């Protein structure tokens, strides 16, 4: 089973599962708004600590969560290395001086600030999408954000078809191998076979999309003003408490940083 298909929540009654999908998205945007304007390391570090504590109590499967964060970790590692070596904040104690490359206490502090801010911003979004059923997410968007049902459920259907495209790609590769079409060690032939395979997959995806669109039209997925929801999910008290707690965490972390004298506006 693909890691994207594995459930990240062990218990369907876990707190993170009972929250409305809109609540998770709003909380993620609150954190984004609070951390996007700060350039210090204290505020994102405090928020990241609160996020890890909340994840630990949310009934999430850490192994699958970490596997889904591999790409984020690789991106953060590259960002940390480039910031450490090429940042313009080179004051403080110099630890390495190799011509144009200089590592100092200020560059290390800038690197820690960038890494913690990126992790603190990205982690809530990853958890929100990984712990939410796509169908419930689409229903919540239509119910609370008033997104167009035709576009929303069309995007949901496309998302559901992503694993099918993976199966189609493997079928194409096996069919070509059965016909003796092998690139061998030639990089040029390998690139040509890959390009033709991508084109074949695109044709299959377009045909499947046309059939899906026709089926959705025949089932009433059009822009009708009298459309109702089959699975309405109102906002509960727990959702408002969660959003308020998120605002309190971000505001509290910012206040602590201001008191310590480390808070700094990003664009100053």
């Amino acid at each position: 089973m693909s890691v994207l298909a594995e459930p990240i929540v062990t218990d369907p009654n876990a707190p993170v599962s009972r929250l409305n999908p809109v609540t998770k998205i709003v909380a993620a945007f609150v954190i984004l708004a609070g951390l996007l304007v700060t350039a210090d390391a204290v505020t994102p570090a405090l928020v990241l600590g609160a996020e890890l504590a909340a994840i630990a109590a949310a009934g999430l499967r850490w192994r699958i969560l970490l596997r889904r964060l591999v790409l984020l970790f690789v991106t953060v590692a590259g960002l940390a290395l480039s910031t450490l070596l090429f940042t313009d904040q080179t004051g403080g104690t110099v630890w390495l001086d190799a011509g144009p490359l200089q590592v100092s206490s200020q560059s290390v502090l800038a690197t820690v600030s960038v890494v913690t801010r990126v992790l603190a911003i990205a982690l809530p979004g990853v958890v929100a999408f990984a712990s939410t059923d796509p169908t419930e997410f689409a229903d919540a968007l239509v119910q609370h954000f008033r997104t167009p049902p035709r576009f929303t459920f069309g995007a949901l259907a496309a998302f559901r078809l992503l694993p099918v495209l993976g199966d189609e790609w493997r079928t194409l590769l096996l069919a070509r191998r059965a016909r003796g079409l092998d690139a061998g060690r030639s990089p040029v032939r390998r690139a040509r076979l890959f390009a033709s395979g991508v084109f074949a997959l695109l044709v299959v995806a377009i045909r499947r999309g046309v059939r899906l669109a026709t089926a959705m039209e025949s089932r009433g997925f059009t822009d009708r003003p009298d459309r109702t929801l089959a699975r309405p999910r109102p906002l509960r008290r727990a959702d408002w408490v969660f959003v308020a707690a998120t605002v309190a965490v971000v505001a509290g972390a910012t206040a602590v940083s201001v008191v310590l004298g480390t808070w700094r506006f990003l664009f100053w």
Side-chain angles (χ1 to χ4, degrees), residues 131-195:
S131 61
T132 303
D133 180 77
T135 303
E136 294 182 356
F137 181 67
D139 290 339
L141 289 180
V142 173
Q143 180 181 1
H144 298 287
F145 287 160
R146 299 293 190 270
T147 58
R150 189 171 186 175
F151 171 78
T152 304
F153 291 111
L156 170 64
F159 178 79
R160 291 290 194 186
L161 287 178
L162 286 179
V164 178
L165 289 180
D167 294 336
E168 294 282 358
W169 176 255
R170 286 187 289 270
T171 302
L172 284 172
L173 294 181
L174 292 176
R176 292 188 171 205
R177 187 176 302 174
R179 289 194 292 265
L181 296 177
D182 190 7
R185 297 184 178 180
S186 172
V188 177
R189 184 172 175 80
R190 187 182 298 273
R192 292 177 60 185
L193 287 177
F194 177 78

Side-chain angles (χ1 to χ4, degrees), residues 17-30:
S17 297
R18 295 197 302 267
L19 291 173
N20 193 296
V22 170
T23 302
K24 304 175 190 179
I25 299 302
V26 170
F29 273 102
V30 168

Side-chain angles (χ1 to χ4, degrees), residues 23 26-31 47 240-252:
T23 302
V26 170
F29 273 102
V30 168
I31 295 175
V47 174
W240 295 107
V241 170
F242 185 79
V243 173
T246 304
V247 174
V249 167
V250 175

Side-chain angles (χ1 to χ4, degrees), residues 33-44 113 117 254 257 262-267:
L35 298 184
L36 199 60
V37 297
T38 179
D40 69 303
V42 175
T43 305
S113 174
R117 187 164 68 251
T254 304
S257 180
T262 60
W263 195 89
R264 183 166 59 89
F265 189 59
L266 179 63
F267 303 103

